[in-house]
Amino acid sequence: IMTAPAAKPFTVLVEGNIGSGKTTFLEHFQQFEDITLLTEPVEEWRNLNGWNLLDLMYKDPAKWAMTFQAYVSLTMLEMHRRTTKTPVKLMERSIFSARYCFVEHMKRSGTLHPAQYSVLNEWFDFIDNEVPVDADLIVYLKTTPSIVYERIKKRARSEEQCVPLSYIVELHKLHEDWLINRTHAECPAPVLVIDADLDLSQITEEYKKSEHQILRKAVNVVMQ
Ligand SMILES: Cc1cc2cn([C@H]3C[C@H](O)[C@@H](CO)O3)c(=O)nc2[nH]1
């Protein structure tokens, strides 16, 4: 195992719509001992002192979106700040997708009151300016809304069963604006696009594209 010295690890953010295969993508990299995987802390969102904030949010978004997104952003920040011994750190989603995709959608759809949105935005601005958050590469699992919608129904995560296709379409557009049209200069990391519409049997070839990019960087970090 290559142990990175004090140098910061090469940090990869794995981004994509609900059902785009992020967990499957991360599992593919479990085979490499030089990579630390940080999966989305959904279980923390499902049980904070006994409260299932994810379920509360989906059941009554107007009442719980603020609480939920405030906690999601805190758990994301904790993951960004977590140190790793390995030269590469792979994170599922980030404070950036919190801000540019989920919170943005909730503001546009009126789920978040402008005053609530302003508070979250103040937190994001403070973090952007005061807290070093590393992002060296973004892997974007690009999908078609109708395909991930079918996967969500098949996966049948209980809290998501009432998620309409329109929500998936809006989230897709926000991911495309952020990662393809690059409308947010604040997150300058290069984006590697993976065709995540492919089903499991074909997707491993796609993963190999990113493997080379990610592992090559690991060597660079160690050689620093
Ligand atoms: C950063 C971030 C991740 C994230 C996930 N989610 C939801 C989408 C899925 O139903 C579930 C797990 O990703 O949580 C959300 O509403 N807001 C989020 N913000």
Side-chain angles (χ1 to χ4, degrees):
I1 182 168
M2 299 188 286
T3 47
K8 285 186 296 184
F10 180 75
T11 302
V12 181
L13 308 182
V14 182
E15 300 286 359
N17 209 336
I18 305 172
S20 58
K22 293 181 297 304
T23 304
T24 311
F25 180 85
L26 278 123
E27 280 166 357
H28 172 82
F29 286 88
Q30 251 156 1
Q31 63 185 302
F32 301 109
E33 58 189 11
D34 294 325
I35 300 181
T36 299
L37 304 179
L38 298 183
T39 53
E40 206 174 39
V42 184
E43 292 321 309
E44 289 181 50
W45 308 340
R46 281 175 148 161
N47 180 4
L48 172 60
N49 298 332
W51 301 104
N52 183 339
L53 298 175
L54 180 67
D55 196 44
L56 287 168
M57 184 274 295
Y58 274 129
K59 285 210 167 72
D60 187 351
K63 183 172 181 184
W64 291 102
M66 175 71 187
T67 304
F68 177 70
Q69 289 303 340
Y71 187 56
V72 166
S73 301
L74 175 63
T75 58
M76 283 294 152
L77 188 55
E78 190 277 325
M79 283 165 65
H80 280 295
R81 304 295 295 148
R82 202 176 309 170
T83 54
T84 58
K85 287 186 291 295
T86 55
V88 178
K89 169 175 160 184
L90 232 55
M91 254 183 75
E92 185 179 2
R93 290 231 174 92
S94 65
I95 194 89
F96 303 108
S97 35
R99 179 176 203 174
Y100 302 138
C101 300
F102 292 93
V103 167
E104 182 60 29
H105 173 67
M106 291 176 174
K107 179 203 75 166
R108 292 184 186 182
S109 59
T111 303
L112 280 173
H113 183 284
Q116 294 174 318
Y117 174 73
S118 301
V119 169
L120 289 174
N121 228 14
E122 288 300 301
W123 276 99
F124 288 137
D125 281 346
F126 178 84
I127 290 164
D128 270 351
N129 299 326
E130 306 294 328
V131 182
V133 167
D134 306 313
D136 300 304
L137 173 69
I138 297 177
V139 173
Y140 174 35
L141 301 183
K142 184 180 169 73
T143 51
T144 305
S146 55
I147 289 183
V148 293
Y149 185 64
E150 286 315 309
R151 288 182 191 166
I152 291 167
K153 288 204 288 192
K154 234 185 293 177
R155 171 170 76 185
R157 185 184 271 160
S158 58
E159 297 90 344
E160 295 167 350
Q161 287 325 295
C162 57
V163 171
L165 175 59
S166 56
Y167 182 62
I168 302 300
V169 169
E170 287 312 306
L171 281 180
H172 172 72
K173 283 184 206 157
L174 285 163
H175 278 84
E176 292 286 301
D177 280 350
W178 170 38
L179 298 172
I180 303 293
N181 310 328
R182 307 304 323 241
T183 49
H184 298 284
E186 305 83 12
C187 180
V191 178
L192 174 67
V193 182
I194 297 281
D195 174 5
D197 277 347
L198 294 171
D199 63 41
L200 277 178
S201 56
Q202 304 155 291
I203 196 101
T204 308
E205 277 319 301
E206 270 296 294
Y207 289 168
K208 289 209 179 311
K209 264 169 58 177
S210 52
E211 222 174 86
H212 172 69
Q213 275 227 41
I214 292 169
L215 293 172
R216 184 164 48 97
K217 298 284 182 181
V219 173
N220 297 350
V221 169
V222 172
M223 304 310 279
Q224 261 166 8

